[in-house]
Amino acid sequence: MYPRSFADGNGDGVGDLIGLRRRLDHLAELGVDAVWLSPFYRSPMADFGYDVADHTDVDPLFGTLDDFDALLADAHARGIRVLVDLVPNHTSDQHPWFRDPAKRDWYIRRDGAPDTPPNNWRAAFGDYPAWTWDEASGQWYLHLFLPQQPDLDWANPEVEAAMHDVMRFWLDRGVDGFRIDVVHGIGKDPALPDDPPEVGGLPHATVNDDPRTHPFIRRMRALADSYDGDRVLVGEVYLLDTRKVVAYYGDGDELHLAFNFPPLYTAWDAGKWRRQIERAEAEHNAVGGWPTWVLSNHDNVRHCTRYGSEACARAAAVLLLTLRGTPFVYQGDELGLEDAEVPADRVVDPGGRDGCRAPIPWDGSADHGWPDGEPWLPFPAGADTRNVATLRTDEGSILHLYRRLLAVRRGSPALRTGTWRALDAPDGVLAYERRSQDGADRRVVIVNFGDAAATVPLDGRWRIDVEAADPTATGAYEGSISGSNALLLSTGE
Ligand code: TEU
């Protein structure tokens, strides 16, 4: 969830914790197990909260710590777990740590001449070096992201201890875990070698993969494990190679879950998706890691926009929620939202990611449930009908498709924890079976990526549990599927 854009409780045009708390029933109805909240901490908002200036306080824009506690209690009362975002790689340049001359060695700094950066690393969000000259210290400081986001030096044990204190602060409050931002970035080679030419000027944040990171994650895991209940660590491992990603599961002693982004960057194509799934299956099985699946988030163009039609987005929902692993749904995907078109004079994100961060339309009224003023970004197209209130009343809507898929998944051992196996299918179609460990529950999923109807014969009798194009459909599976559609089947008449 991107709290800035979910729901506005105080009418200032920016989503906040009070607004989010009031709309929790939407999430409960949808049937999610847990929510991950993007940062709501004190921040100058150069990177919309990923530049943290105080890890243990809520930015006034989003509310107060009391609002957070109330939100957490209300979420737990609905059986929804809450993960908060931990941003360990960098802070804001306005953080007291960065401004304290006694803590200069908490950040990665190097001596040198003001016209020659210490190495060739590139920052994210623009074509510029990952180094900025700091007049005050007469040194360079590293920032894998914006100059306003200096990188912490995890080789300094005080930094690790401080970040553990941050984790304890939120765990003590009762959070169920963390999504850990660019966690693969925290360990760095102190020799700071140049990125090789084959990296081709990519941001260093997308290639940093240093063995020094693993002990840091192991100690975060031990800290989480020392708490009662289930506390989960989900790492953003932004390395676009699944084999590299799975290394961050360690020997079951590092991340519980790691985002695997290559499928997010895979075109809507049956063959390409089958290869991605088989790759993910093989790589995760090799390390005993549990896969994750994600199609959209606050950093990327929404898959409804990328795939080009609601029909594809519906079929993609069936795929996302029936693969083996933990699926992540980005707020608004359940409404089939597309990226908003953001006019040049309203662009605010230095990374150009405004379109996917558009506000959620809650109803068909003029303000779409965002009272007293214009939200910080424009609404996505079609908000008059593509909004929560309207889609709730339409049993055939994509919203009901998500609800139905999540409900079936919740009741199916095969879908929750069963094995995955590809089935024979014609070109343009992906078919697979999910099977519970005891074999008692079997489900078949057929996804037709093409526009034309396809024939997919199956052994035995199968019944339609969910159809992407029409979530109200029921009845026997007749051996074929229409174009740009997907079916979830179970055994029986
Ligand atoms: O993203 C890290 C990251 O690698 C992405 O920025 C990615 O390179 C890019 O967005 C691809 O489109 C995380 C957060 O998710 C992002 O919102 C933050 O801006 C970033 O870290 C810095 O904290």
Side-chain angles (χ1 to χ4, degrees):
M1 304 188 65
Y2 200 66
R4 254 190 118 79
S5 301
F6 190 67
D8 182 8
N10 66 358
D12 66 354
V14 175
D16 49 45
L17 299 183
I18 290 181
L20 204 161
R21 186 174 160 219
R22 282 193 198 135
R23 299 287 190 179
L24 275 177
D25 283 335
H26 172 64
L27 302 169
E29 268 185 28
L30 186 59
V32 299
D33 298 304
V35 297
W36 143 42
L37 305 178
S38 271
F40 47 78
Y41 318 114
R42 275 191 190 266
S43 166
M45 307 289 169
D47 189 17
F48 295 98
Y50 282 95
D51 48 326
V52 180
D54 182 346
H55 297 90
T56 57
D57 200 6
V58 175
D59 194 278
L61 195 59
F62 294 117
T64 63
L65 275 173
D66 286 342
D67 294 333
F68 178 80
D69 290 340
L71 168 64
L72 186 63
D74 282 8
H76 283 168
R78 287 166 177 75
I80 298 173
R81 315 280 187 99
V82 177
L83 275 62
V84 297
D85 215 310
L86 182 72
V87 188
N89 180 68
H90 45 265
T91 68
S92 164
D93 62 349
Q94 303 302 309
H95 196 292
W97 299 343
F98 191 69
R99 297 168 71 87
D100 181 354
K103 291 194 171 67
R104 287 216 168 119
D105 60 359
W106 283 37
Y107 292 83
I108 298 182
R109 297 173 182 272
R110 286 294 181 273
D111 296 332
D115 52 354
T116 318
N119 68 14
N120 71 353
W121 293 1
R122 308 300 285 175
F125 315 142
D127 190 20
Y128 51 85
W131 295 94
T132 288
W133 180 258
D134 176 23
E135 286 296 342
S137 62
Q139 285 180 307
W140 291 94
Y141 70 85
L142 178 70
H143 51 87
L144 297 191
F145 295 89
L146 299 172
Q148 298 96 318
Q149 293 168 292
D151 275 44
L152 287 162
D153 188 353
W154 276 72
N156 182 339
E158 290 176 333
V159 168
E160 185 175 7
M163 209 48 78
H164 283 194
D165 285 344
V166 172
M167 292 178 73
R168 280 191 201 95
F169 178 88
W170 293 104
L171 290 166
D172 288 341
R173 284 198 116 74
V175 305
D176 300 286
F178 301 96
R179 176 270 191 184
I180 313 178
D181 191 64
V182 286
V183 69
H184 62 292
I186 61 179
K188 294 183 182 83
D189 183 342
L192 299 172
D194 275 349
D195 280 334
E198 56 273 23
V199 162
L202 283 173
H204 185 73
T206 67
V207 296
N208 192 84
D209 185 21
D210 190 88
R212 288 165 190 81
T213 298
H214 296 282
F216 297 136
I217 300 180
R218 279 198 289 274
R219 292 194 285 269
M220 287 182 180
R221 171 66 176 263
L223 175 56
D225 284 351
S226 74
Y227 277 77
D228 59 349
D230 296 325
R231 315 280 181 135
V232 68
L233 302 184
V234 186
E236 188 206 24
V237 181
Y238 199 90
L239 298 168
L240 297 182
D241 175 343
T242 303
R243 175 156 307 169
K244 291 182 177 168
V245 170
V246 299
Y248 289 81
Y249 288 83
D251 289 323
D253 56 356
E254 295 188 37
L255 299 173
H256 295 92
L257 297 171
F259 284 113
N260 180 41
F261 288 113
L264 189 151
Y265 296 110
T266 297
W268 186 243
D269 174 279
K272 289 180 177 154
W273 264 92
R274 179 170 173 168
R275 280 192 290 282
Q276 284 292 346
I277 296 164
E278 288 179 338
R279 180 100 205 260
E281 282 284 321
E283 298 291 1
H284 287 82
N285 284 335
V287 301
W290 182 245
T292 63
W293 299 96
V294 53
L295 299 177
S296 288
N297 63 24
H298 65 291
D299 288 335
N300 291 280
V301 173
R302 284 183 183 273
H303 65 276
C304 293
T305 302
R306 282 184 280 120
Y307 297 165
S309 74
E310 177 171 328
C312 293
R314 285 175 177 242
V318 175
L319 178 73
L320 175 72
L321 299 178
T322 60
L323 289 169
R324 191 180 72 93
T326 296
F328 287 78
V329 175
Y330 178 48
Q331 66 181 39
D333 286 350
E334 78 283 14
L335 309 175
L337 293 186
E338 296 209 30
D339 269 29
E341 284 184 34
V342 182
D345 63 344
R346 291 191 68 180
V347 167
V348 287
D349 177 45
R353 300 162 293 183
D354 297 312
C356 64
R357 298 174 176 180
I360 298 297
W362 288 98
D363 56 45
S365 71
D367 64 19
H368 300 306
W370 287 69
D372 308 328
E374 195 162 357
W376 70 293
L377 286 173
F379 288 101
D384 287 348
T385 50
R386 197 175 283 288
N387 60 67
V388 175
T390 304
L391 299 186
R392 273 187 84 211
T393 62
D394 175 2
E395 299 273 328
S397 69
I398 190 169
L399 175 59
H400 281 267
L401 171 66
Y402 270 87
R403 281 167 61 170
R404 177 127 184 82
L405 283 165
L406 286 166
V408 172
R409 181 186 166 96
R410 188 176 294 276
S412 165
L415 292 177
R416 288 178 72 87
T417 54
T419 54
W420 181 95
R421 179 172 71 95
L423 301 176
D424 287 339
D427 279 356
V429 177
L430 176 67
Y432 49 89
E433 183 195 51
R434 300 290 315 279
R435 192 187 192 105
S436 63
Q437 308 302 335
D438 63 4
D441 182 27
R442 288 167 65 207
R443 310 279 164 148
V444 162
V445 177
I446 304 173
V447 185
N448 186 355
F449 287 71
D451 300 330
T455 305
V456 188
L458 294 176
D459 289 340
R461 295 176 198 278
W462 293 85
R463 165 182 81 222
I464 295 175
D465 269 348
V466 188
E467 173 167 1
D470 179 8
T472 65
T474 53
Y477 172 63
E478 306 284 1
S480 65
I481 180 171
S482 58
S484 302
N485 195 4
L487 297 170
L488 170 58
L489 309 174
S490 58
T491 42
E493 290 300 327

